[in-house]
Amino acid sequence: MAPTALDTLSPLPDSQIMQSGTQYLTQNSIDRLLGALLENIARNKPEKPVQWMIDVLSSSSSVEQAVQAASQDSQQGAGKERTSALLTVFKMLDKEGQGNIQLSDLQAYTSRYGIASLPPSEVEQVFENIDAGRKNLVTADDFLRYMSKATCNMTDSQFQDMIAAMTQA
């Protein structure tokens, strides 16, 4: 069998790898970034530190702006920007402005925004999952708690796309 391109490559000496890595770390201010992450974790003690780091690292803002944007709601563990966006959706569902939604509000919303293909039993199941107190009413806190967990693995781009789809007029 003929040698492949990988077989003919000579490995980099450890010193070159070390130099290349050091240059990368210096050029990209990795020490500053990690220092800021650790300092803010120690100072702010986010409820979900891994999610907080993901939110900071996935931001296109400066480290300082990203840290501020990723600061978490102490009850939900979601960043303040995500919490604000989710509250916007909740307010759309809460047509009467009473601070809670009922199953009929969720059903009307899913029909209005083209999710009519979702069977009524699935809409009821979603509502039951959100209704933590089993009181047939979902409060803003219930909604935020559920949606924070449901969206915690989404990238900012995926989350923003979801919010845009949920708030379309």
Side-chain angles (χ1 to χ4, degrees):
M1 185 172 1
T4 65
L6 289 176
D7 294 329
T8 60
L9 290 175
S10 61
L12 287 175
D14 288 345
S15 61
Q16 272 188 294
I17 293 172
M18 179 81 122
Q19 182 180 10
S20 174
T22 301
Q23 286 173 343
Y24 177 84
L25 294 173
T26 302
Q27 287 173 346
N28 293 288
S29 303
I30 301 298
D31 57 338
R32 183 174 156 263
L33 174 63
L34 289 177
L37 285 173
L38 294 174
E39 178 183 330
N40 279 283
I41 287 173
R43 182 182 314 125
N44 300 321
K45 298 175 182 59
E47 183 76 21
K48 298 179 179 176
V50 173
Q51 182 62 47
W52 181 87
M53 286 191 293
I54 290 168
D55 291 345
V56 170
L57 294 172
S58 63
S59 173
S60 58
S61 306
S62 71
V63 173
E64 291 78 15
Q65 290 171 329
V67 164
Q68 182 62 31
S71 59
Q72 295 175 342
D73 177 281
S74 62
Q75 290 184 334
Q76 316 311 334
K80 288 182 180 178
E81 287 183 3
R82 286 189 177 203
T83 299
S84 176
L86 291 170
L87 279 174
T88 299
V89 173
F90 179 82
K91 289 175 185 174
M92 288 180 66
L93 292 166
D94 180 19
K95 290 291 186 191
E96 294 82 34
Q98 296 177 359
N100 56 59
I101 57 174
Q102 299 175 6
L103 176 58
S104 59
D105 297 323
L106 186 58
Q107 289 168 328
Y109 177 84
T110 57
S111 295
R112 188 176 327 116
Y113 289 99
I115 314 173
S117 62
L118 196 62
S121 61
E122 286 187 35
V123 175
E124 289 175 27
Q125 184 63 46
V126 168
F127 186 84
E128 288 174 14
N129 288 337
I130 299 172
D131 182 15
R134 302 291 181 247
K135 55 199 173 308
N136 294 321
L137 290 175
V138 171
T139 65
D141 284 342
D142 294 337
F143 184 80
L144 289 173
R145 191 175 305 107
Y146 177 83
M147 292 300 292
S148 293
K149 288 178 186 174
T151 61
C152 71
N153 292 323
M154 288 183 171
T155 65
D156 281 344
S157 177
Q158 291 169 327
F159 180 81
Q160 290 165 357
D161 289 348
M162 179 197 74
I163 294 296
M166 293 176 86
T167 56
Q168 66 186 352

